[in-house]
Amino acid sequence: MSKVATIGFFDGVHLGHRHIIDDVLAVARESEMESMVITFSRHPRLVVGSSFVPELLNTTDEKISLIKKAGIDHCVVLDFDSEMAKMTAHDFMKTILRDKYGVGKLVIGYDNRFGHNRQEGFDDYQAYGKELGIEVIQCNELTEDGRHVSSSVIRKKIAAGDIEEANSLLGYEYRLSGIVTEGTHVGRSLGFPTANLNPATIGKLIPACGVYATIVETSDGERHDSMTNIGCRPTFGGKTTTIETNIFDFSRDIYGETIIVEFIKRIRTEQRFNSEQQLERQLRNDKEKVLETIKHRKI
């Protein structure tokens, strides 16, 4: 059966991406065809040798899950390698889209370019499509309340700690997932035990240092209010970044389990305190702010 498809890296599967996906779904319904998203397991810049490689908003598994959740029939993940990087847009449309995956209609984002050196544009794709029997449709740009929606904009917001703004452009709460590791137990001594994630194993962009209102999903699917500190613990002379989450009203041993931490809002930046007592008082104030923030969360 012929497919209606779109193609892209889709990092974040944000509102702009879902705007394109919605167009794919609409065209597929009207044409009585199946819908498809074609994406890549590696960012193309990793292959073409660019000096700039963005920190990612999704793991591949997260991206696939979000695309399928949007209602797409088929999500194809291509291994973007040096051979594929050499393909012209015409060759890609013929060999990959038409011959391999049966694409009959291709929905293209307003600024999307593909093929060797990304030299061609929408008019070229349309011309190739006429030759190959693929109808090429351009999707208009999505702006959210006048804001440009893109993966690069969202990365900047997360890197600056503006999680609320990032979430509004993503359409969901940004998350980190990892295995809970043993920490120094300093939090426990203050009455705030933490579940720690190793930043080196996260595989995606880590938000700016600070204290965040978060929600934790444990391996059994239960969800718990929490607060998460990202930073180097300056009060205790730390030098490496840690991700430490205090899960409220929770006592189960989850060392070695995988948890998901969803970020709602940064409530303050990282600070150095003069004593453990001063830090403990601040943590109690932080918890009150976090509970209030979660109560009024927007997503």
Side-chain angles (χ1 to χ4, degrees), residues 216-249:
V216 165
E217 183 174 315
T218 50
S219 59
D220 56 8
E222 291 188 356
R223 294 169 62 81
H224 307 269
D225 296 346
S226 59
M227 63 180 179
T228 297
N229 181 79
I230 298 177
C232 63
R233 298 179 297 140
T235 302
F236 301 97
K239 301 200 181 290
T240 58
T241 299
T242 60
I243 303 172
E244 303 173 307
T245 299
N246 173 238
I247 307 174
F248 301 157
D249 304 317

Side-chain angles (χ1 to χ4, degrees), residues 6-7 36 52 60 74 81 86 90 130 145 160 165 174 178 199 208 212-214 218 238-239 259 265:
T6 188
I7 181 171
M36 176 179 285
F52 173 73
T60 299
H74 306 280
D81 56 18
K86 295 174 184 176
H90 180 280
K130 287 179 181 178
D145 298 327
E165 182 72 4
Y174 189 68
Y212 293 83
T214 55
T218 50
K239 301 200 181 290
I259 62 171
K265 181 180 180 179

Side-chain angles (χ1 to χ4, degrees), residues 58-117:
N58 292 142
T59 64
T60 299
D61 286 345
E62 287 174 346
K63 180 164 60 173
I64 293 170
S65 176
L66 287 165
I67 289 171
K68 289 183 175 178
K69 188 177 179 181
I72 288 291
D73 294 316
H74 306 280
C75 180
V76 175
V77 182
L78 300 178
D79 182 17
F80 191 87
D81 56 18
S82 57
E83 290 303 311
M84 190 173 291
K86 295 174 184 176
M87 295 180 72
T88 64
H90 180 280
D91 289 345
F92 187 87
M93 290 175 69
K94 178 181 183 297
T95 306
I96 304 296
L97 299 187
R98 189 191 69 178
D99 296 349
K100 187 169 185 178
Y101 292 109
V103 174
K105 296 189 179 187
L106 178 65
V107 178
I108 292 290
Y110 79 99
D111 62 346
N112 189 16
R113 290 177 178 266
F114 62 91
H116 181 60
N117 291 334

Side-chain angles (χ1 to χ4, degrees), residues 89 93 108 112-114 120-129 136:
M93 290 175 69
I108 292 290
N112 189 16
R113 290 177 178 266
F114 62 91
E120 296 132 312
F122 179 73
D123 291 341
D124 299 302
Y125 307 146
Q126 269 197 321
Y128 303 152
V136 182

Side-chain angles (χ1 to χ4, degrees), residues 30-68:
E30 292 168 4
S31 309
E32 296 185 343
M33 299 164 70
E34 294 180 347
S35 58
M36 176 179 285
V37 168
I38 299 174
T39 188
F40 306 101
S41 58
R42 292 186 292 171
H43 198 287
R45 291 189 178 188
L46 288 170
V47 178
V48 299
S50 170
S51 60
F52 173 73
V53 179
E55 294 180 277
L56 301 181
L57 302 173
N58 292 142
T59 64
T60 299
D61 286 345
E62 287 174 346
K63 180 164 60 173
I64 293 170
S65 176
L66 287 165
I67 289 171
K68 289 183 175 178

Side-chain angles (χ1 to χ4, degrees), residues 113-164:
R113 290 177 178 266
F114 62 91
H116 181 60
N117 291 334
R118 296 160 55 95
Q119 293 176 334
E120 296 132 312
F122 179 73
D123 291 341
D124 299 302
Y125 307 146
Q126 269 197 321
Y128 303 152
K130 287 179 181 178
E131 175 193 337
L132 298 169
I134 300 175
E135 180 184 354
V136 182
I137 304 163
Q138 189 170 42
C139 180
N140 64 328
E141 178 185 8
L142 173 73
T143 57
E144 184 72 8
D145 298 327
R147 301 167 297 172
H148 176 61
V149 183
S150 72
S151 301
S152 58
V153 168
I154 294 169
R155 288 187 198 106
K156 289 177 182 177
K157 297 294 183 183
I158 294 172
D162 191 356
I163 286 292
E164 273 193 306

Side-chain angles (χ1 to χ4, degrees), residues 117-296:
N117 291 334
R118 296 160 55 95
Q119 293 176 334
E120 296 132 312
F122 179 73
D123 291 341
D124 299 302
Y125 307 146
Q126 269 197 321
Y128 303 152
K130 287 179 181 178
E131 175 193 337
L132 298 169
I134 300 175
E135 180 184 354
V136 182
I137 304 163
Q138 189 170 42
C139 180
N140 64 328
E141 178 185 8
L142 173 73
T143 57
E144 184 72 8
D145 298 327
R147 301 167 297 172
H148 176 61
V149 183
S150 72
S151 301
S152 58
V153 168
I154 294 169
R155 288 187 198 106
K156 289 177 182 177
K157 297 294 183 183
I158 294 172
D162 191 356
I163 286 292
E164 273 193 306
E165 182 72 4
N167 289 346
S168 72
L169 298 176
L170 285 167
Y172 59 89
E173 283 155 349
Y174 189 68
R175 54 176 51 187
L176 302 179
S177 176
I179 297 173
V180 178
T181 60
E182 193 86 25
T184 60
H185 300 289
V186 170
R188 186 178 301 278
S189 69
L190 297 173
F192 292 87
T194 60
N196 303 329
L197 302 182
N198 181 355
T201 65
I202 296 298
K204 54 191 287 189
L205 178 63
I206 295 172
C209 292
V211 176
Y212 293 83
T214 55
I215 290 178
V216 165
E217 183 174 315
T218 50
S219 59
D220 56 8
E222 291 188 356
R223 294 169 62 81
H224 307 269
D225 296 346
S226 59
M227 63 180 179
T228 297
N229 181 79
I230 298 177
C232 63
R233 298 179 297 140
T235 302
F236 301 97
K239 301 200 181 290
T240 58
T241 299
T242 60
I243 303 172
E244 303 173 307
T245 299
N246 173 238
I247 307 174
F248 301 157
D249 304 317
F250 186 83
S251 59
R252 185 164 67 83
D253 182 353
I254 54 173
Y255 288 122
E257 294 186 19
T258 297
I259 62 171
I260 298 169
V261 182
E262 297 178 359
F263 289 77
I264 299 169
K265 181 180 180 179
R266 184 167 71 166
I267 61 169
R268 67 172 172 88
T269 58
E270 187 176 38
Q271 298 171 242
R272 183 184 182 280
F273 296 92
N274 295 324
S275 67
E276 290 187 13
Q277 292 75 20
Q278 187 180 11
L279 171 57
E280 183 180 345
R281 286 195 297 271
Q282 182 61 55
L283 291 174
R284 297 192 185 283
N285 290 335
D286 291 342
K287 182 176 180 178
E288 290 181 11
K289 289 182 181 179
V290 164
L291 288 170
E292 190 66 19
T293 298
I294 292 174
K295 182 180 177 181
H296 296 99

